[in-house]
Amino acid sequence: MANAIQDFDALVIGAGFSGMYMLKSLRDKLGLKVRVYEAGDTVGGTWYWNRYPGARCDSDSYIYCFTFDKQLLQEWEWSERYPEQPEILRYLEHVAARHDLKRDIQFGTRVTGGEYDEKTNLWTVQTDKGDNVTARYVIAAVGTLSDTNLPQFKGLEEFKGKRYHTSKFPHTGVDFTGKRVAVVGTGATAVQAIPEIAQQAKHLTVFQRTANYCVPARNGKVDPDLVKTRKADYDGVVKRVRESFFGQEHYFIPKSVLEVSAEEREREFERMWDAGGFAYWLANYQDMFFDQKANDVCADFIRRKIRATVKDPKVAEKLMPKGHAYGCKRQPLDTNYYETYNKPNVLLVDAATDGGIEEITEKGIRAGGKEYEVDIIVFATGFDAMTGPLTKLNLKGRGGRTLDKEWSEGPRSYLGVSVAGFPNLFTITGPQSPSVLSNMPVSIEQHVDWITDCIDNMRKNGQTAIEATPEAQEQWVKHVNEVVGATLMVKANSWYMGANIPGKPRTFLPYLGPEGVGGYRKKCDEIAAKGYEGFNLG
Ligand code: NAP
């Protein structure tokens, strides 16, 4: 029904990397009337909220950026290999100003619900600021790691000191000088924060539930000649990362680690270790994710590095990853993480050895029957990843169905960008797309471009509704699970598997290959070329 009241052509939820580019694309390419709702006070998403000490990007800056603005690729100078959170936020502010994005973004506004009207093919969306607006399309650009997980420890409210979650860190910063601090968690966030906090705090106690395999980031200034070379070949860089497996310039060694000599693999391991970053994780031998024996060889190299770095053998033993294969939880990148445990003011409390957290007390944390008194607790306990930010939107699709119920046994989507029963809703880097397994801006730009083309196509054909068919969705879900089922990834208690959230169904949340983001991009383009195969359009 064309003449129902329609406030906007499209509503975009979130103004991080994805929401910003979605707005730019729909407004400036297609000329649509777009409104973006953003809970924060400015653009940035992840980089607006996550302001903990040491927060920086784990992907190399030359590829952790927008590529749609070629001139900006040439002009922007990143200060380091991995820029810190304030610099990324400055970059995103610059993009917002350069493309005049803010005039269509309503800040300080959280979407609280919405419903799809099957008669008009329009969404009505409500916000916590009283907005109640209609639009043809809703695009969730809510991020994948934006729904904070604060475990409900017994006694949490009793603590008399200050407590913070890394994902909602005060914008004014926190002064740890002279304080006794606890950090709960040892994931990628904690691994960045712990060395920084340890430098300031009088005493730091780290509560570890699962030891991780960390590899050195090797941050620093990038050789100006390398910067020049990359800039001269940005088209090539963009093409390569788009066609790659992980949206990075990392490629597996096309051999089994078990078939090469001990000398050869040691040389290769050292080379990757020295390169730093994701090299050891994403450019390792090709059977590392598939074969436990192959994985053990790669894991053993990291264990040896930990033993060589941590002086106290008892502490080193606590830091040995156990019970999960290397690379099957997200690889943290570290700068002086293991070295930090050599400091006299740092104590590691390991759940397996010392006892897990029993309760939060007025004065600190009780674990293994012992109370650790602290002034500040920093929870680095992660997120309800991928599905959490979407289900919390309270969107009602066809017949009033909700994502919460539809996904009660794990997410079901078509291509990770669309859900059967939720017409005209698109999910940027949603569950069952490569998303968090890739360098995010690459996957974000791919989804935004695909959604833009799809909407453009619909408008040219006079269509007002698009919806994934249940059959196409079932096939996609089956495919996603089959591919990952052949790997070791499904065995780890990772947030990729939803294992960090009590009661969350155990399902692999993103989409792993088989040809990575390059193959996935091709698949999405083929589906579009076949008239959006697997979708009903009308
Ligand atoms: P995370 O990887 O989920 O780590 C959370 C930590 O808290 C884990 O050590 C976890 O232990 C622990 N934990 C959770 N619940 C607990 C409980 N009830 N009791 C005790 N310990 C508990 O979260 P994160 O470190 O915030 O990282 C999340 C993701 O954000 C990363 O994997 C990465 O994708 C992204 N990230 C990106 C960057 C970057 O690129 N700049 C930086 C940081 C994070 P278990 O391991 O036992 O669950």
Short mmCIF file of all heavy atoms in Angstrom, two decimals, residues 46-47 50 52 54-59 64 83 88 145 149-153 165-167 184-192 207-212 278 324 329-332 351 357 379-383 436 493-496 499-500 502, ligand 1:
data_model
loop_
_atom_site.label_atom_id
_atom_site.label_comp_id
_atom_site.label_asym_id
_atom_site.label_seq_id
_atom_site.Cartn_x
_atom_site.Cartn_y
_atom_site.Cartn_z
N THR A 46 31.17 1.12 19.17
CA THR A 46 32.19 0.47 19.99
C THR A 46 33.23 1.45 20.50
O THR A 46 33.65 1.41 21.65
CB THR A 46 32.90 -0.61 19.14
OG1 THR A 46 32.03 -1.73 19.05
CG2 THR A 46 34.21 -1.06 19.73
N TRP A 47 33.65 2.35 19.62
CA TRP A 47 34.76 3.26 19.94
C TRP A 47 34.29 4.46 20.74
O TRP A 47 35.09 5.25 21.22
CB TRP A 47 35.50 3.65 18.66
CG TRP A 47 35.98 2.42 17.98
CD1 TRP A 47 35.46 1.84 16.86
CD2 TRP A 47 37.01 1.54 18.44
NE1 TRP A 47 36.11 0.67 16.59
CE2 TRP A 47 37.07 0.46 17.54
CE3 TRP A 47 37.90 1.56 19.52
CZ2 TRP A 47 37.98 -0.59 17.68
CZ3 TRP A 47 38.80 0.51 19.67
CH2 TRP A 47 38.83 -0.55 18.75
N ASN A 50 33.73 1.91 24.51
CA ASN A 50 34.82 1.13 25.12
C ASN A 50 36.06 2.00 25.34
O ASN A 50 36.97 2.02 24.52
CB ASN A 50 35.18 -0.07 24.24
CG ASN A 50 34.10 -1.13 24.29
OD1 ASN A 50 34.22 -2.12 25.02
ND2 ASN A 50 33.03 -0.91 23.56
N TYR A 52 38.19 1.89 28.05
CA TYR A 52 39.06 1.37 29.13
C TYR A 52 40.53 1.62 28.77
O TYR A 52 40.88 1.80 27.59
CB TYR A 52 38.79 -0.13 29.32
CG TYR A 52 39.01 -0.97 28.09
CD1 TYR A 52 40.27 -1.47 27.77
CD2 TYR A 52 37.97 -1.25 27.21
CE1 TYR A 52 40.48 -2.23 26.64
CE2 TYR A 52 38.16 -2.01 26.07
CZ TYR A 52 39.42 -2.50 25.79
OH TYR A 52 39.64 -3.23 24.65
N GLY A 54 44.09 1.27 27.55
CA GLY A 54 44.71 0.33 26.60
C GLY A 54 43.81 -0.07 25.44
O GLY A 54 44.22 -0.87 24.60
N ALA A 55 42.58 0.48 25.38
CA ALA A 55 41.66 0.08 24.30
C ALA A 55 42.22 0.51 22.96
O ALA A 55 42.47 1.70 22.73
CB ALA A 55 40.29 0.72 24.52
N ARG A 56 42.45 -0.44 22.12
CA ARG A 56 42.87 -0.11 20.76
C ARG A 56 42.40 -1.21 19.83
O ARG A 56 42.00 -2.29 20.27
CB ARG A 56 44.37 0.14 20.67
CG ARG A 56 45.27 -1.03 20.96
CD ARG A 56 46.74 -0.72 20.68
NE ARG A 56 47.38 0.10 21.70
CZ ARG A 56 47.89 1.31 21.47
NH1 ARG A 56 47.87 1.84 20.28
NH2 ARG A 56 48.49 1.97 22.45
N CYS A 57 42.47 -0.91 18.55
CA CYS A 57 42.00 -1.85 17.55
C CYS A 57 43.02 -2.97 17.37
O CYS A 57 44.22 -2.72 17.40
CB CYS A 57 41.84 -1.07 16.26
SG CYS A 57 41.44 -2.12 14.92
N ASP A 58 42.54 -4.19 17.20
CA ASP A 58 43.45 -5.31 16.99
C ASP A 58 43.74 -5.59 15.51
O ASP A 58 44.56 -6.45 15.19
CB ASP A 58 42.87 -6.59 17.63
CG ASP A 58 43.11 -6.64 19.14
OD1 ASP A 58 43.95 -5.86 19.63
OD2 ASP A 58 42.47 -7.45 19.81
N SER A 59 43.05 -4.88 14.62
CA SER A 59 43.37 -5.01 13.19
C SER A 59 44.29 -3.85 12.82
O SER A 59 44.18 -2.76 13.39
CB SER A 59 42.12 -4.90 12.33
OG SER A 59 41.29 -6.01 12.50
N TYR A 64 41.67 -0.99 8.90
CA TYR A 64 40.55 -0.83 9.83
C TYR A 64 39.98 0.58 9.63
O TYR A 64 40.13 1.47 10.45
CB TYR A 64 40.99 -1.03 11.27
CG TYR A 64 39.81 -1.19 12.22
CD1 TYR A 64 39.16 -2.41 12.36
CD2 TYR A 64 39.31 -0.10 12.93
CE1 TYR A 64 38.07 -2.56 13.20
CE2 TYR A 64 38.21 -0.24 13.77
CZ TYR A 64 37.61 -1.46 13.90
OH TYR A 64 36.51 -1.60 14.72
N PRO A 83 45.77 1.94 16.14
CA PRO A 83 45.48 3.19 16.85
C PRO A 83 44.64 2.94 18.10
O PRO A 83 43.84 2.02 18.15
CB PRO A 83 44.71 4.00 15.83
CG PRO A 83 44.16 3.01 14.88
CD PRO A 83 45.06 1.83 14.88
N ILE A 88 40.66 6.48 16.93
CA ILE A 88 39.61 5.92 16.05
C ILE A 88 38.35 6.77 16.16
O ILE A 88 37.68 7.05 15.15
CB ILE A 88 39.32 4.45 16.39
CG1 ILE A 88 40.60 3.62 16.31
CG2 ILE A 88 38.26 3.88 15.44
CD1 ILE A 88 40.44 2.19 16.74
N LEU A 145 29.18 -6.64 19.44
CA LEU A 145 29.70 -6.72 20.80
C LEU A 145 29.34 -5.43 21.51
O LEU A 145 30.19 -4.61 21.84
CB LEU A 145 31.22 -6.94 20.76
CG LEU A 145 31.63 -8.27 20.12
CD1 LEU A 145 33.07 -8.25 19.65
CD2 LEU A 145 31.42 -9.43 21.08
N ASN A 149 27.86 -7.84 29.08
CA ASN A 149 27.62 -8.98 29.97
C ASN A 149 28.24 -8.69 31.34
O ASN A 149 29.46 -8.73 31.50
CB ASN A 149 28.25 -10.25 29.39
CG ASN A 149 28.23 -11.41 30.40
OD1 ASN A 149 27.26 -11.57 31.14
ND2 ASN A 149 29.29 -12.19 30.43
N LEU A 150 27.40 -8.36 32.29
CA LEU A 150 27.86 -8.21 33.67
C LEU A 150 27.30 -9.39 34.46
O LEU A 150 26.11 -9.40 34.80
CB LEU A 150 27.38 -6.88 34.26
CG LEU A 150 27.80 -6.64 35.72
CD1 LEU A 150 29.31 -6.61 35.88
CD2 LEU A 150 27.20 -5.34 36.25
N PRO A 151 28.13 -10.41 34.72
CA PRO A 151 27.60 -11.59 35.42
C PRO A 151 27.00 -11.19 36.77
O PRO A 151 27.56 -10.33 37.46
CB PRO A 151 28.83 -12.48 35.61
CG PRO A 151 29.84 -11.98 34.64
CD PRO A 151 29.56 -10.53 34.44
N GLN A 152 25.90 -11.80 37.09
CA GLN A 152 25.20 -11.43 38.32
C GLN A 152 25.80 -12.17 39.53
O GLN A 152 25.18 -13.06 40.10
CB GLN A 152 23.69 -11.68 38.17
CG GLN A 152 23.04 -10.73 37.18
CD GLN A 152 23.33 -9.25 37.49
OE1 GLN A 152 22.93 -8.74 38.53
NE2 GLN A 152 24.05 -8.56 36.59
N PHE A 153 27.03 -11.80 39.87
CA PHE A 153 27.70 -12.41 41.02
C PHE A 153 26.89 -12.11 42.28
O PHE A 153 26.37 -11.00 42.44
CB PHE A 153 29.11 -11.84 41.19
CG PHE A 153 30.06 -12.19 40.09
CD1 PHE A 153 30.48 -11.24 39.18
CD2 PHE A 153 30.53 -13.49 39.96
CE1 PHE A 153 31.36 -11.56 38.15
CE2 PHE A 153 31.41 -13.83 38.94
CZ PHE A 153 31.82 -12.87 38.04
N HIS A 165 32.43 -1.54 34.21
CA HIS A 165 32.55 -2.55 33.14
C HIS A 165 33.32 -1.89 32.00
O HIS A 165 33.08 -0.72 31.68
CB HIS A 165 31.17 -3.01 32.65
CG HIS A 165 31.24 -4.24 31.80
ND1 HIS A 165 31.66 -4.21 30.49
CD2 HIS A 165 30.98 -5.54 32.08
CE1 HIS A 165 31.65 -5.44 30.00
NE2 HIS A 165 31.22 -6.28 30.94
N THR A 166 34.24 -2.64 31.42
CA THR A 166 35.10 -2.04 30.38
C THR A 166 34.29 -1.45 29.22
O THR A 166 34.72 -0.47 28.61
CB THR A 166 36.06 -3.11 29.82
OG1 THR A 166 35.31 -4.30 29.57
CG2 THR A 166 37.19 -3.39 30.78
N SER A 167 33.14 -2.04 28.94
CA SER A 167 32.37 -1.58 27.77
C SER A 167 31.54 -0.35 28.08
O SER A 167 30.88 0.19 27.18
CB SER A 167 31.45 -2.70 27.29
OG SER A 167 30.40 -2.86 28.21
N VAL A 184 38.31 -8.56 36.56
CA VAL A 184 37.66 -9.86 36.40
C VAL A 184 37.61 -10.16 34.90
O VAL A 184 37.02 -9.40 34.14
CB VAL A 184 36.23 -9.86 36.99
CG1 VAL A 184 35.57 -11.23 36.78
CG2 VAL A 184 36.27 -9.49 38.46
N GLY A 185 38.24 -11.27 34.49
CA GLY A 185 38.24 -11.65 33.07
C GLY A 185 39.62 -11.53 32.47
O GLY A 185 40.44 -10.70 32.92
N THR A 186 39.87 -12.39 31.49
CA THR A 186 41.17 -12.37 30.80
C THR A 186 40.97 -12.57 29.30
O THR A 186 41.73 -13.28 28.64
CB THR A 186 42.11 -13.46 31.36
OG1 THR A 186 41.42 -14.71 31.36
CG2 THR A 186 42.59 -13.15 32.77
N GLY A 187 39.91 -11.96 28.76
CA GLY A 187 39.69 -11.98 27.31
C GLY A 187 40.49 -10.87 26.63
O GLY A 187 41.35 -10.24 27.25
N ALA A 188 40.17 -10.60 25.36
CA ALA A 188 40.94 -9.63 24.57
C ALA A 188 40.95 -8.24 25.21
O ALA A 188 41.94 -7.51 25.15
CB ALA A 188 40.38 -9.55 23.15
N THR A 189 39.82 -7.88 25.86
CA THR A 189 39.74 -6.56 26.50
C THR A 189 40.68 -6.50 27.70
O THR A 189 41.49 -5.58 27.83
CB THR A 189 38.29 -6.29 26.96
OG1 THR A 189 37.46 -6.23 25.80
CG2 THR A 189 38.18 -5.02 27.76
N ALA A 190 40.55 -7.50 28.59
CA ALA A 190 41.38 -7.52 29.80
C ALA A 190 42.86 -7.57 29.45
O ALA A 190 43.69 -6.92 30.11
CB ALA A 190 41.00 -8.71 30.67
N VAL A 191 43.19 -8.31 28.40
CA VAL A 191 44.60 -8.44 28.01
C VAL A 191 45.17 -7.08 27.59
O VAL A 191 46.35 -6.80 27.81
CB VAL A 191 44.74 -9.52 26.91
CG1 VAL A 191 46.11 -9.46 26.25
CG2 VAL A 191 44.49 -10.90 27.50
N GLN A 192 44.32 -6.22 27.04
CA GLN A 192 44.77 -4.85 26.72
C GLN A 192 44.83 -3.99 27.98
O GLN A 192 45.74 -3.17 28.14
CB GLN A 192 43.82 -4.19 25.72
CG GLN A 192 43.88 -4.78 24.31
CD GLN A 192 42.99 -4.01 23.34
OE1 GLN A 192 42.00 -3.39 23.73
NE2 GLN A 192 43.33 -4.08 22.06
N PHE A 207 41.41 -11.84 38.20
CA PHE A 207 40.62 -13.06 38.40
C PHE A 207 40.42 -13.73 37.04
O PHE A 207 39.71 -13.22 36.18
CB PHE A 207 39.29 -12.73 39.07
CG PHE A 207 39.47 -12.29 40.51
CD1 PHE A 207 39.78 -10.97 40.80
CD2 PHE A 207 39.39 -13.21 41.54
CE1 PHE A 207 39.99 -10.56 42.10
CE2 PHE A 207 39.60 -12.82 42.86
CZ PHE A 207 39.91 -11.49 43.15
N GLN A 208 41.08 -14.87 36.90
CA GLN A 208 41.06 -15.57 35.61
C GLN A 208 40.17 -16.82 35.72
O GLN A 208 40.33 -17.61 36.64
CB GLN A 208 42.49 -16.00 35.27
CG GLN A 208 42.62 -16.95 34.10
CD GLN A 208 44.06 -17.35 33.84
OE1 GLN A 208 44.79 -16.66 33.14
NE2 GLN A 208 44.50 -18.46 34.42
N ARG A 209 39.24 -16.95 34.78
CA ARG A 209 38.45 -18.20 34.75
C ARG A 209 39.05 -19.16 33.74
O ARG A 209 39.16 -20.34 33.99
CB ARG A 209 36.99 -17.89 34.41
CG ARG A 209 36.10 -19.13 34.47
CD ARG A 209 34.63 -18.78 34.48
NE ARG A 209 34.16 -18.31 33.18
CZ ARG A 209 32.89 -18.01 32.93
NH1 ARG A 209 31.97 -18.14 33.89
NH2 ARG A 209 32.52 -17.60 31.73
N THR A 210 39.44 -18.61 32.57
CA THR A 210 40.05 -19.45 31.53
C THR A 210 41.30 -18.75 31.02
O THR A 210 41.21 -17.59 30.58
CB THR A 210 39.07 -19.65 30.34
OG1 THR A 210 37.81 -20.07 30.85
CG2 THR A 210 39.59 -20.68 29.36
N ALA A 211 42.42 -19.43 31.05
CA ALA A 211 43.64 -18.82 30.51
C ALA A 211 43.55 -18.82 28.98
O ALA A 211 43.06 -19.77 28.38
CB ALA A 211 44.85 -19.62 30.96
N ASN A 212 44.03 -17.73 28.40
CA ASN A 212 43.96 -17.57 26.95
C ASN A 212 45.32 -17.77 26.30
O ASN A 212 46.35 -17.69 26.97
CB ASN A 212 43.49 -16.16 26.64
CG ASN A 212 42.06 -16.14 26.16
OD1 ASN A 212 41.69 -16.96 25.33
ND2 ASN A 212 41.27 -15.23 26.68
N PHE A 278 47.68 -10.57 14.09
CA PHE A 278 46.91 -11.79 13.85
C PHE A 278 47.66 -12.83 13.01
O PHE A 278 47.09 -13.86 12.66
CB PHE A 278 45.58 -11.46 13.19
CG PHE A 278 44.56 -10.85 14.13
CD1 PHE A 278 43.70 -9.86 13.69
CD2 PHE A 278 44.47 -11.27 15.45
CE1 PHE A 278 42.75 -9.30 14.56
CE2 PHE A 278 43.53 -10.72 16.33
CZ PHE A 278 42.68 -9.74 15.87
N HIS A 324 40.99 -25.99 25.83
CA HIS A 324 40.46 -25.54 24.54
C HIS A 324 41.60 -25.41 23.54
O HIS A 324 42.73 -25.09 23.91
CB HIS A 324 39.67 -24.24 24.65
CG HIS A 324 40.47 -23.05 25.07
ND1 HIS A 324 40.80 -22.80 26.39
CD2 HIS A 324 41.02 -22.04 24.35
CE1 HIS A 324 41.51 -21.69 26.45
NE2 HIS A 324 41.66 -21.22 25.23
N LYS A 329 39.01 -19.68 20.64
CA LYS A 329 38.45 -18.50 21.29
C LYS A 329 39.16 -17.33 20.62
O LYS A 329 40.25 -17.51 20.06
CB LYS A 329 38.75 -18.52 22.80
CG LYS A 329 37.94 -19.60 23.55
CD LYS A 329 38.36 -19.72 24.98
CE LYS A 329 37.80 -18.62 25.84
NZ LYS A 329 36.90 -19.09 26.91
N ARG A 330 38.57 -16.14 20.66
CA ARG A 330 39.16 -15.01 19.94
C ARG A 330 40.59 -14.77 20.46
O ARG A 330 40.84 -14.70 21.65
CB ARG A 330 38.27 -13.79 20.13
CG ARG A 330 38.88 -12.43 19.90
CD ARG A 330 39.34 -12.15 18.48
NE ARG A 330 39.21 -10.73 18.21
CZ ARG A 330 40.03 -9.78 18.67
NH1 ARG A 330 41.05 -10.11 19.44
NH2 ARG A 330 39.81 -8.52 18.36
N GLN A 331 41.50 -14.65 19.52
CA GLN A 331 42.91 -14.43 19.82
C GLN A 331 43.13 -13.05 20.44
O GLN A 331 42.95 -12.03 19.77
CB GLN A 331 43.67 -14.52 18.49
CG GLN A 331 45.07 -14.01 18.53
CD GLN A 331 45.97 -14.98 19.23
OE1 GLN A 331 46.36 -15.97 18.65
NE2 GLN A 331 46.28 -14.69 20.47
N PRO A 332 43.51 -12.95 21.73
CA PRO A 332 43.88 -11.63 22.24
C PRO A 332 45.28 -11.25 21.75
O PRO A 332 46.15 -12.10 21.62
CB PRO A 332 43.89 -11.81 23.76
CG PRO A 332 43.22 -13.11 24.03
CD PRO A 332 43.46 -13.95 22.80
N ALA A 351 40.86 -19.58 38.64
CA ALA A 351 39.71 -20.34 39.15
C ALA A 351 40.07 -21.80 39.41
O ALA A 351 39.72 -22.35 40.45
CB ALA A 351 38.56 -20.25 38.16
N ILE A 357 35.37 -17.30 41.56
CA ILE A 357 34.71 -16.22 42.31
C ILE A 357 33.45 -16.77 42.96
O ILE A 357 32.60 -17.36 42.27
CB ILE A 357 34.37 -15.04 41.36
CG1 ILE A 357 35.66 -14.43 40.80
CG2 ILE A 357 33.52 -13.99 42.08
CD1 ILE A 357 35.44 -13.30 39.81
N PHE A 379 35.20 -4.97 35.65
CA PHE A 379 34.68 -6.18 35.03
C PHE A 379 35.00 -6.13 33.53
O PHE A 379 34.53 -5.22 32.83
CB PHE A 379 33.16 -6.29 35.24
CG PHE A 379 32.79 -6.58 36.67
CD1 PHE A 379 32.39 -5.56 37.53
CD2 PHE A 379 32.87 -7.87 37.17
CE1 PHE A 379 32.08 -5.80 38.85
CE2 PHE A 379 32.55 -8.14 38.50
CZ PHE A 379 32.16 -7.10 39.34
N ALA A 380 35.81 -7.07 33.09
CA ALA A 380 36.13 -7.18 31.65
C ALA A 380 35.49 -8.48 31.18
O ALA A 380 36.15 -9.37 30.66
CB ALA A 380 37.64 -7.19 31.45
N THR A 381 34.18 -8.57 31.42
CA THR A 381 33.49 -9.85 31.27
C THR A 381 32.71 -9.97 29.97
O THR A 381 31.88 -10.87 29.82
CB THR A 381 32.55 -10.07 32.48
OG1 THR A 381 31.85 -8.85 32.76
CG2 THR A 381 33.33 -10.48 33.72
N GLY A 382 32.97 -9.08 29.04
CA GLY A 382 32.49 -9.28 27.68
C GLY A 382 31.04 -8.93 27.41
O GLY A 382 30.46 -8.06 28.07
N PHE A 383 30.47 -9.66 26.47
CA PHE A 383 29.20 -9.26 25.86
C PHE A 383 28.29 -10.46 25.61
O PHE A 383 28.77 -11.59 25.46
CB PHE A 383 29.47 -8.59 24.50
CG PHE A 383 30.41 -7.43 24.58
CD1 PHE A 383 31.79 -7.61 24.49
CD2 PHE A 383 29.92 -6.15 24.80
CE1 PHE A 383 32.66 -6.54 24.59
CE2 PHE A 383 30.78 -5.07 24.90
CZ PHE A 383 32.16 -5.26 24.80
N VAL A 436 32.22 -11.08 12.98
CA VAL A 436 33.29 -11.02 14.00
C VAL A 436 34.50 -11.89 13.68
O VAL A 436 35.52 -11.78 14.35
CB VAL A 436 32.76 -11.41 15.39
CG1 VAL A 436 31.79 -10.37 15.91
CG2 VAL A 436 32.08 -12.79 15.35
N ASN A 493 34.56 -23.41 24.75
CA ASN A 493 33.53 -22.61 25.44
C ASN A 493 33.80 -21.14 25.19
O ASN A 493 34.29 -20.42 26.05
CB ASN A 493 33.55 -22.90 26.94
CG ASN A 493 33.02 -24.28 27.23
OD1 ASN A 493 32.15 -24.78 26.52
ND2 ASN A 493 33.56 -24.93 28.24
N SER A 494 33.48 -20.71 23.99
CA SER A 494 33.79 -19.33 23.58
C SER A 494 32.50 -18.53 23.48
O SER A 494 31.41 -19.09 23.44
CB SER A 494 34.46 -19.36 22.21
OG SER A 494 33.53 -19.90 21.27
N TRP A 495 32.67 -17.21 23.39
CA TRP A 495 31.48 -16.42 23.11
C TRP A 495 31.00 -16.64 21.68
O TRP A 495 29.83 -16.41 21.38
CB TRP A 495 31.67 -14.94 23.46
CG TRP A 495 32.74 -14.17 22.73
CD1 TRP A 495 33.95 -13.80 23.20
CD2 TRP A 495 32.66 -13.62 21.41
NE1 TRP A 495 34.64 -13.07 22.26
CE2 TRP A 495 33.87 -12.94 21.15
CE3 TRP A 495 31.68 -13.63 20.40
CZ2 TRP A 495 34.14 -12.30 19.94
CZ3 TRP A 495 31.94 -12.99 19.19
CH2 TRP A 495 33.16 -12.33 18.98
N TYR A 496 31.89 -17.10 20.79
CA TYR A 496 31.44 -17.48 19.44
C TYR A 496 30.34 -18.54 19.53
O TYR A 496 29.47 -18.65 18.68
CB TYR A 496 32.59 -18.11 18.62
CG TYR A 496 33.73 -17.21 18.26
CD1 TYR A 496 35.04 -17.70 18.26
CD2 TYR A 496 33.54 -15.89 17.88
CE1 TYR A 496 36.11 -16.91 17.91
CE2 TYR A 496 34.61 -15.09 17.54
CZ TYR A 496 35.90 -15.59 17.55
OH TYR A 496 36.97 -14.80 17.20
N ALA A 499 28.80 -19.55 24.77
CA ALA A 499 29.05 -20.27 26.04
C ALA A 499 29.31 -19.34 27.22
O ALA A 499 29.32 -19.80 28.36
CB ALA A 499 30.25 -21.21 25.85
N ASN A 500 29.51 -18.04 26.96
CA ASN A 500 29.82 -17.12 28.07
C ASN A 500 28.57 -16.63 28.79
O ASN A 500 28.66 -16.02 29.84
CB ASN A 500 30.61 -15.90 27.55
CG ASN A 500 29.83 -15.10 26.52
OD1 ASN A 500 29.03 -15.66 25.78
ND2 ASN A 500 30.05 -13.82 26.48
N PRO A 502 25.11 -17.58 30.63
CA PRO A 502 24.34 -18.70 31.17
C PRO A 502 22.98 -18.81 30.48
O PRO A 502 22.29 -17.81 30.30
CB PRO A 502 24.16 -18.33 32.65
CG PRO A 502 25.25 -17.34 32.94
CD PRO A 502 25.51 -16.62 31.66
P1 NAP B 1 35.43 -11.97 26.45
O1 NAP B 1 36.37 -12.37 25.42
O2 NAP B 1 34.08 -12.60 26.47
O3 NAP B 1 36.15 -12.17 27.83
C1 NAP B 1 35.44 -12.07 29.02
C2 NAP B 1 36.28 -12.59 30.16
O4 NAP B 1 35.51 -12.57 31.33
C3 NAP B 1 36.73 -14.03 29.93
O5 NAP B 1 37.99 -14.20 30.46
C4 NAP B 1 35.66 -14.79 30.70
O6 NAP B 1 36.08 -16.07 31.09
C5 NAP B 1 35.47 -13.89 31.87
N1 NAP B 1 34.16 -14.10 32.49
C6 NAP B 1 32.95 -13.95 31.90
N2 NAP B 1 31.98 -14.27 32.78
C7 NAP B 1 32.61 -14.64 33.92
C8 NAP B 1 32.15 -15.09 35.18
N3 NAP B 1 30.84 -15.25 35.43
N4 NAP B 1 33.08 -15.38 36.13
C9 NAP B 1 34.39 -15.23 35.87
N5 NAP B 1 34.89 -14.82 34.71
C10 NAP B 1 33.99 -14.52 33.74
O7 NAP B 1 35.16 -10.38 26.43
P2 NAP B 1 36.15 -9.22 25.99
O8 NAP B 1 37.51 -9.47 26.50
O9 NAP B 1 35.48 -7.94 26.29
O10 NAP B 1 36.25 -9.39 24.44
C11 NAP B 1 35.09 -9.59 23.67
C12 NAP B 1 35.45 -9.39 22.23
O11 NAP B 1 35.55 -8.00 21.94
C13 NAP B 1 36.79 -9.94 21.82
O12 NAP B 1 36.82 -11.31 21.71
C14 NAP B 1 37.02 -9.19 20.53
O13 NAP B 1 36.33 -9.75 19.47
C15 NAP B 1 36.44 -7.84 20.87
N6 NAP B 1 37.54 -6.97 21.26
C16 NAP B 1 38.17 -6.34 20.25
C17 NAP B 1 39.22 -5.54 20.53
C18 NAP B 1 39.86 -4.82 19.42
O14 NAP B 1 40.01 -5.29 18.35
N7 NAP B 1 40.22 -3.65 19.67
C19 NAP B 1 39.66 -5.37 21.83
C20 NAP B 1 39.01 -6.01 22.85
C21 NAP B 1 37.92 -6.81 22.55
P3 NAP B 1 35.86 -17.34 30.11
O15 NAP B 1 36.90 -17.23 29.04
O16 NAP B 1 36.00 -18.49 30.99
O17 NAP B 1 34.47 -17.20 29.54
#
